[in-house]
Amino acid sequence: MHQLTTRRDERPLLTAVPSAVPSAGDAALLAEVAELRARNEQLGRALATRAVIDQARGMVMVLAPCSSERAWDLLVGVSQRCNTKLRDVAAALVATTRDETLPEPIQRELRRELRRLHAADRE
């Protein structure tokens, strides 16, 4: 007998006999469980990266000074121009507080974005 269990507490969600053909309801339930697990993992990753992105946004707000929205746009611009995920740009920026060097492409694009932001403020 095969059991589908949850990862946390190992309680059986659905018990199926391997030789039996699952019913349409069982197949739908299995598909839903798989989809919910995938969403849960995706949300977990998003929550884990959200903090570092918010920290980087705060750093930009201090450097610029600018609003939270403009800091977000600046980080997104750097991310796009470097072809690097936003969370990686944010992590690299936050790592500078631990005396790590900002990678040159990110450093270059951040300077460009900050100059562009300051020029727009002067207009």
Side-chain angles (χ1 to χ4, degrees):
M1 184 175 278
H2 175 69
Q3 290 185 336
L4 178 64
T5 59
T6 62
R7 291 182 186 187
R8 292 181 191 243
D9 56 12
E10 298 300 319
R11 288 179 304 174
L13 289 177
L14 181 66
T15 303
V17 178
S19 60
V21 177
S23 70
D26 289 346
L29 181 60
L30 288 171
E32 184 178 358
V33 167
E35 181 183 340
L36 290 172
R37 282 185 177 162
R39 277 190 198 170
N40 189 38
E41 288 175 17
Q42 181 182 20
L43 287 171
R45 285 190 304 272
L47 284 173
T49 60
R50 182 64 188 218
V52 75
I53 292 171
D54 285 344
Q55 289 171 359
R57 186 189 280 190
M59 291 174 71
V60 170
M61 290 168 65
V62 169
L63 287 171
C66 64
S67 69
S68 178
E69 293 79 19
R70 290 186 87 178
W72 173 265
D73 292 342
L74 186 143
L75 288 170
V76 168
V78 171
S79 169
Q80 290 174 343
R81 286 177 184 77
C82 291
N83 196 27
T84 304
K85 291 189 180 295
L86 178 60
R87 67 177 176 250
D88 296 336
V89 169
L93 186 57
V94 170
T96 63
T97 64
R98 296 184 303 272
D99 293 328
E100 292 184 31
T101 304
L102 195 60
E104 199 280 324
I106 295 174
Q107 196 176 98
R108 182 181 58 244
E109 291 305 325
L110 182 61
R111 262 191 248 118
R112 283 183 187 160
E113 287 289 325
L114 286 169
R115 279 195 299 264
R116 188 180 62 75
L117 185 67
H118 287 299
D121 285 344
R122 283 187 245 137
E123 294 176 354

